[in-house]
Amino acid sequence: MLVKWIRLTVVDRRGFERGQRKWAGLLGEPGFRGQCGGWSRTRPGVAHLVGFWESRAFYDSFMARSHDRLAAAQVGTYKDQRVRLFAHELDVKVGFRPAFGDADVLRLAHCQVRQDRVDHFMLMQEKVWNPAMAGSPGMLRGMLGRAPGEEFLVLSLWQSAAERGKYRPERVERLALRAQIAADVRAIAGDVVQLEPSWTV
């Protein structure tokens, strides 16, 4: 499965949200599996969108044919767009499926991993982080994606912001020490996204 992550800064909220409804047109696209998105809870005006495709070939076909027509409705409503593509590597908790009706919050962690530490980073995701996240109340499911090179995206869906809050900083720090995250990762950037049900496709 291919994961597309888009982060952008919205300058015309009403126009952007109106244009976002046009993406319902993705439903007829071959290989499209689902899309969700919402507003950053820490950065005003920043929106995140995550789309899922069966394969890179289906995605490339969509980009060549239909993308520009669907995207036209949002031209001029945002700036600073960043788009990254990741291949699905492993699931967090249960078999990941791109369904979002039961989730209120999306947590994203974008990791730049040191080249000689990729194997260890992957092992720690499987042996340390996955069991810890799977045991967290309100955590529904998640996945780890990898881009070419040493770039990873950890994506998790949560039942509510209140449940997400139970994943306490001191517990995260303990896990980070155990997983040797400082030795593995050159840079990490995260965000918590309040999902907008009307953006779900």
Side-chain angles (χ1 to χ4, degrees):
M1 186 163 56
L2 182 80
V3 183
K4 180 180 187 177
W5 171 40
I6 305 166
R7 188 185 73 200
L8 38 79
T9 303
V10 174
V11 294
D12 171 6
R13 187 164 176 145
R14 185 175 291 174
F16 181 83
E17 292 194 309
R18 192 167 53 241
Q20 195 57 39
R21 291 195 283 274
K22 301 283 187 189
W23 291 100
L26 283 166
L27 284 173
E29 290 293 329
F32 174 71
R33 300 279 303 279
Q35 182 167 289
C36 70
W39 298 102
S40 166
R41 299 186 65 216
T42 56
R43 298 178 177 96
V46 170
H48 295 268
L49 295 153
V50 187
F52 300 86
W53 295 81
E54 275 177 38
S55 70
R56 180 67 189 254
F58 279 123
Y59 169 74
D60 287 344
S61 172
F62 160 72
M63 290 300 291
R65 290 179 298 100
S66 310
H67 174 270
D68 291 357
R69 175 175 50 80
L70 294 174
Q74 286 174 309
V75 170
T77 65
Y78 60 86
K79 62 180 184 178
D80 303 331
Q81 183 184 34
R82 286 190 57 209
V83 179
R84 309 296 298 153
L85 299 175
F86 299 86
H88 173 270
E89 284 282 333
L90 64 99
D91 292 336
V92 178
K93 191 169 183 173
V94 294
F96 183 81
R97 64 188 198 285
F100 316 104
D102 53 350
D104 294 325
V105 171
L106 170 69
R107 176 85 175 88
L108 298 165
H110 183 216
C111 305
Q112 306 279 352
V113 177
R114 292 184 174 90
Q115 190 173 5
D116 61 336
R117 301 285 293 189
V118 166
D119 289 346
H120 184 265
F121 174 82
M122 295 280 289
L123 184 67
M124 291 300 99
Q125 289 297 317
E126 195 176 340
K127 302 294 187 194
V128 175
W129 291 105
N130 273 16
M133 288 177 74
S136 295
M139 193 278 188
L140 299 168
R141 57 193 165 277
M143 56 152 288
L144 174 74
R146 183 176 184 178
E150 294 77 51
E151 188 181 352
F152 293 84
L153 181 69
V154 185
L155 175 158
S156 54
L157 292 164
W158 298 75
Q159 235 161 9
S160 72
E163 294 292 358
R164 169 70 188 90
K166 292 177 186 172
Y167 199 53
R168 291 188 179 84
E170 61 271 18
R171 184 165 180 242
V172 175
E173 284 171 24
R174 279 202 311 275
L175 291 167
L177 281 170
R178 195 170 143 217
Q180 301 173 30
I181 198 92
D184 288 353
V185 174
R186 285 188 289 112
I188 185 165
D191 212 347
V192 179
V193 182
Q194 190 67 44
L195 292 176
E196 290 284 344
S198 63
W199 297 9
T200 296
V201 184

